[in-house]
Amino acid sequence: MTATEWTAGGTGRIRVLLADDQRLVRAGFRVLLERAPEIEVVGEATDGEEAIALTRAHRPDVVLMDIRMPGTDGLTATRRIVADDRLPGVRVVVLTTFELDEYVYAALRAGASGFLLKNLEPDELRRAVRVVAAGDALLAPEVTRRLIAAYVDGPEVPGLHTLTAREREVVTLVAEGLSNAEVGTRLGMSTATAKTHANRAMAKLGARDRAQLVVFAYRSGLAGIRRPR
């Protein structure tokens, strides 16, 4: 999604909160993010409790959350932000230097809309913020591979038979990491229509968010990897 597309949606600038206990990391992210004219950093938190308080105060669109912080860690803070009825529009992206599986799964269970490694390129960071702010989920390629390995042999996904052919196509592309805009381009439909199909699929499958929809896609075989019989 470009800056023009975001502004055209009537939502103005993308407001971001940074949560990391290292000042240099926060400063670096701020500089990289604010090079994009449509992104504004509205606050910086040094631990989970401060992240929760500042999220309630500023109501950002996206929180970039470190996992390991003193006191209340990033996973706990993510869980509390996602569960807070006063913050329905806030999305959390977990950023970490650690690729441990336990962190990946814990972040997704906590309700994170994305999980990225801190070694990503500046353009990837800005794209991640745009994609998540637009309502999509975003997982680092390393994380997606872990989901494949962990969930392909999981239980059947209830409600799969209720998906229309078009919804199945959309879910498959979401599992490939495409945003709503990219799905729309691939299938010859508008971004809004692609989002509607994805939301309907989530409702039918009981997926909490798009990250969980990706898990369901791999578990059911829609992502191109079939369950062994």
Side-chain angles (χ1 to χ4, degrees):
M1 175 183 289
T2 66
T4 301
E5 288 172 330
W6 175 263
T7 304
T11 51
R13 303 181 77 187
I14 304 173
R15 294 161 49 81
V16 178
L17 179 74
L18 304 175
D20 196 294
D21 61 329
Q22 297 185 47
R23 180 180 298 179
L24 287 177
V25 172
R26 298 196 309 274
F29 282 160
R30 176 184 283 272
V31 169
L32 293 175
L33 289 171
E34 292 191 336
R35 286 180 180 173
E38 78 278 18
I39 299 176
E40 174 187 8
V41 176
V42 298
E44 298 181 19
T46 60
D47 58 39
E49 284 299 328
E50 189 175 16
I52 296 167
L54 290 179
T55 298
R56 289 171 177 167
H58 295 292
R59 306 295 177 90
D61 300 296
V62 178
V63 179
L64 294 183
M65 184 81 71
D66 188 25
I67 287 183
R68 288 189 173 181
M69 294 185 289
T72 301
D73 62 33
L75 294 177
T76 301
T78 296
R79 190 176 300 109
R80 288 170 58 183
I81 289 171
V82 172
D84 193 330
D85 293 337
R86 296 167 291 181
L87 304 171
V90 178
R91 294 180 172 273
V92 180
V93 175
V94 171
L95 277 142
T96 181
T97 56
F98 304 97
E99 300 182 36
L100 299 179
D101 291 350
E102 61 202 71
Y103 287 148
V104 175
Y105 306 142
L108 295 179
R109 286 195 298 268
S113 294
F115 189 104
L116 299 171
L117 303 179
K118 288 183 179 178
N119 62 359
L120 78 172
E121 296 296 323
D123 285 344
E124 293 175 342
L125 176 64
R126 290 186 286 266
R127 177 181 178 272
V129 168
R130 297 185 187 105
V131 166
V132 172
D136 294 334
L138 190 69
L139 302 176
E142 299 91 336
V143 176
T144 301
R145 287 194 291 270
R146 284 179 169 78
L147 289 176
I148 295 171
Y151 288 110
V152 69
D153 293 330
E156 294 285 357
V157 178
L160 183 64
H161 66 283
T162 66
L163 297 185
T164 65
R166 183 59 92 183
E167 287 165 355
R168 286 172 176 258
E169 288 180 313
V170 170
V171 171
T172 299
L173 294 178
V174 168
E176 291 180 12
L178 274 64
S179 67
N180 286 327
E182 292 165 337
V183 171
T185 299
R186 182 78 66 86
L187 298 179
M189 62 178 66
S190 69
T191 299
T193 300
K195 184 175 182 179
T196 297
H197 284 304
N199 287 342
R200 287 176 178 169
M202 286 170 55
K204 290 179 180 180
L205 298 177
R208 178 189 60 241
D209 52 32
R210 287 173 70 99
Q212 194 171 56
L213 187 63
V214 172
V215 172
F216 286 176
Y218 281 112
R219 184 183 295 173
S220 65
L222 286 177
I225 298 179
R226 297 296 173 183
R227 291 164 43 87
R229 297 298 180 183

